[in-house]
Amino acid sequence: MPIDWFPLWLSLRVACISTALALAIGLWLAWVLANRQFRGKEVLDALVTLPLVLPPTVLGYYLLVVLGRNSPIGHLYEWLFGVPLVFSWQAAVVAALFHSTPLLVKSARAAFEGVDRSYDRAARILGASELRLFWRVTLPLTRRSILAAAALAFARSLGDFGVTLMIAGNIPGRTQTVAVAIFDAVEAGHGAVARVLVLIVSAVALVILSLANRLTTNPFGPRQTAL
């Protein structure tokens, strides 16, 4: 049976878009959680982490309710773009975003909290604004950890299944991602197709994880202890 490569290309596109959105949203959330004290911080942290622990069917149901055609957000999206959000490839991006952003936020927050505060104090004394402090001091000091977190978020987006199936569906040539295509191939008894797709996804994931490990490894080697 010939292999349909559309699910692989769609998954790569979904992963790229969701990772870019996760960086934009996740870095801001991570910086706020790492550098600000406010009432409800623990609740916000719990809400950010919640998609990592909820069953995919539960998260998918919540998203169906929030993004469905009868919801305010779904109605607004359909009014703006002329098509429903659910059961579209854009819905697959939303599904991947909700599973990749918490992972990025957790890693980025740990990186931000690990920055030596003396650099921040010195920059503020020199008159740097909070935005300039972030771009010129915090981000350069944490860029390797942030890039590693982005790589992990990309890998997570590439393999999303449960939430994607619930809000984007399984429409060949439109919303079928590679994870759903593998499930379909196994159900239909197309073992050869499933094996090829599994090997490709595994190879991509291995490359991404190797990159993430390389980024989080000390470029100067292990720390030496003086005798």
Side-chain angles (χ1 to χ4, degrees):
M1 179 182 176
I3 298 176
D4 180 10
W5 296 109
F6 175 84
L8 179 61
W9 303 130
L10 177 61
S11 293
L12 291 172
R13 179 169 62 171
V14 166
C16 287
I17 296 174
S18 67
T19 302
L21 293 173
L23 276 170
I25 299 169
L27 289 183
W28 176 75
L29 282 172
W31 186 88
V32 169
L33 290 171
N35 294 280
R36 291 289 182 265
Q37 294 296 330
F38 53 91
R39 182 176 297 178
K41 179 178 177 178
E42 293 77 10
V43 176
L44 176 60
D45 190 17
L47 287 174
V48 170
T49 310
L50 195 60
L52 291 178
V53 299
L54 281 179
T57 49
V58 175
L59 182 57
Y61 178 79
Y62 281 140
L63 290 177
L64 276 177
V65 172
V66 173
L67 304 177
R69 300 185 70 174
N70 295 325
S71 70
I73 296 177
H75 184 73
L76 176 62
Y77 183 92
E78 188 168 357
W79 178 75
L80 289 173
F81 299 100
V83 292
L85 176 57
V86 293
F87 302 115
S88 65
W89 72 267
Q90 290 89 345
V93 173
V94 175
L97 181 65
F98 269 82
H99 263 168
S100 61
T101 300
L103 189 63
L104 192 143
V105 170
K106 287 295 183 182
S107 300
R109 180 184 178 181
F112 291 155
E113 289 177 341
V115 173
D116 190 339
R117 298 299 178 183
S118 62
Y119 293 112
D120 293 354
R121 290 192 294 270
R124 290 190 179 97
I125 290 173
L126 293 172
S129 65
E130 290 297 323
L131 184 61
R132 185 177 179 85
L133 173 63
F134 175 78
W135 285 107
R136 299 298 297 272
V137 178
T138 305
L139 200 58
L141 289 173
T142 58
R143 64 183 182 277
R144 291 174 64 87
S145 297
I146 298 302
L147 289 173
L152 293 176
F154 181 90
R156 185 66 188 84
S157 299
L158 189 65
D160 188 78
F161 174 75
V163 182
T164 299
L165 187 62
M166 287 198 69
I167 69 171
N170 180 19
I171 307 174
R174 286 183 55 192
T175 67
Q176 188 181 66
T177 60
V178 68
V180 179
I182 291 170
F183 176 80
D184 247 13
V186 173
E187 287 288 295
H190 301 146
V193 174
R195 283 191 293 272
V196 171
L197 293 177
V198 164
L199 289 174
I200 291 174
V201 173
S202 300
V204 172
L206 182 61
V207 170
I208 293 172
L209 291 175
S210 299
L211 175 62
N213 289 335
R214 186 179 181 86
L215 287 169
T216 54
T217 300
N218 188 344
F220 302 106
R223 187 184 299 274
Q224 301 294 324
T225 303
L227 297 176

